[in-house]
Amino acid sequence: MHSVLRNPMRGIMLKVSSVVVFLAMQTFIKLAGSDIPPGQVTFFRSFFALFPIMAFLAYNRQLRPAFYTANPIGHLKRGTIGIMSMAFGFYGLMHLPLPEAIALGYALPLVAVIFAAVFLGETVRVYRWSAVLVGMVGVAIISWPKLTLFRGGGMEAEQAIGALSVLLSAVLGGMAMIQVRRLVEEEKTTTIVLYFSITASVFSLASLPFGWLVLPWRSAICLIAAGFCGGVAQILLTESYRHADVSTIAPFEYTSILLGGIVAYFLFGDVPSVTMLIGTVIVVAAGIFIIYRERQLGIEQKEARKAITPQA
């Protein structure tokens, strides 16, 4: 990876492109149907992402070096945690309106700050702690109406479980990010991305005996497309960091809530609630403030952010 910042505008364009393609991935998963087991969805997302990733690495003559690893156990840990995060996230995505699933996923950077302080010993000063607390208030505002649906049944209860699943996915994603930060001390980003997709494919395939469905052609095509989109989006995201700093690019992640709202309205008829909009503004503001503080304090976490995103 190049360390020189060559073209920030190009980096921003690549970042926004990755957001769009990740959103397409999420949309395809929702279009596939809500009754597909999360393990089966995770397999399609991981396995078919390997095709564009490996093609890209081969084109750049990085495929063979990417397979070399000095820490297979570290990749196994990252894969185990990451696949659980993906499975819970996909369950929530399939049972929640798209904008709410995206907004709750923004809890990941907040959780990552907490875990970085606890497990990595990073210094987190009062400003970032305050931003995390404010962001968690926003998460509570978004999720609380869903959690109160536990008193109901049927679809309402499914949405409540979906909200909890996305939050659990964020917690597991924060743990995965800690593992990624440890891996980047000795591993290349391409190696981390490649081994995660391989590990996730193998682990999710192990869920086959637990009730995979025979998919109709429409659902199968949607899941295959989701996998390809996930791989392409990961490439775009990784490439974006060749051209601009993390603190320059990261705020553009939040364009996904606007784009997601548009897609959700026209494809699924979802209209965001007032509480959801208020909570989202609070969470996004907290996330952007954390990014700003990291830039001010000179905290460089480029390599860790290349291999993980709120979309996972």
Side-chain angles (χ1 to χ4, degrees), residues 66 80 97 160-161 169 174 249 257:
T80 302
I161 296 172
S169 172
I249 290 176
I257 193 65

Side-chain angles (χ1 to χ4, degrees), residues 29-180:
I29 290 173
K30 283 194 70 70
L31 288 173
S34 61
D35 57 344
I36 303 173
Q40 188 171 4
V41 176
T42 304
F43 171 78
F44 275 85
R45 158 65 179 90
S46 304
F47 179 74
F48 287 99
L50 281 169
F51 290 91
I53 290 173
M54 294 180 72
F56 177 78
L57 293 176
Y59 176 78
N60 288 282
R61 298 182 179 179
Q62 297 177 346
L63 183 58
R64 182 175 294 180
F67 274 101
Y68 174 76
T69 176
N71 190 359
I73 300 301
H75 289 287
L76 186 63
K77 290 179 182 178
R78 186 267 191 269
T80 302
I81 300 170
I83 191 170
M84 290 191 294
S85 176
M86 286 179 65
F88 281 112
F90 290 153
Y91 181 88
L93 176 62
M94 291 186 290
H95 291 88
L96 284 175
L98 183 59
E100 294 186 27
I102 293 173
L104 288 174
Y106 290 156
L108 173 56
L110 307 178
V111 173
V113 172
I114 298 173
F115 285 177
V118 174
F119 297 109
L120 297 181
E122 289 187 5
T123 301
V124 179
R125 294 177 173 83
V126 63
Y127 294 105
R128 282 199 293 160
W129 279 124
S130 300
V132 168
L133 290 175
V134 170
M136 290 303 179
V137 170
V139 170
I141 291 173
I142 298 169
S143 58
W144 183 251
K146 298 300 179 186
L147 300 184
T148 58
L149 296 179
F150 270 124
R151 292 174 294 187
M155 185 175 296
E156 292 183 344
E158 286 185 354
Q159 287 197 2
I161 296 172
L164 285 177
S165 295
V166 175
L167 294 177
L168 182 55
S169 172
V171 172
L172 290 167
M175 295 173 64
M177 183 178 287
I178 296 301
Q179 185 60 31
V180 169

Side-chain angles (χ1 to χ4, degrees), residues 14 70 155 182 204 211 231 312:
L14 287 166
M155 185 175 296
R182 290 170 174 163
S204 56

Side-chain angles (χ1 to χ4, degrees), residues 32-33 35-37 40-41 44 212-224:
D35 57 344
I36 303 173
Q40 188 171 4
V41 176
F44 275 85
W212 280 24
L213 301 179
V214 177
L215 299 177
W217 66 268
R218 180 176 178 273
S219 296
I221 290 175
C222 284
L223 290 183
I224 292 171

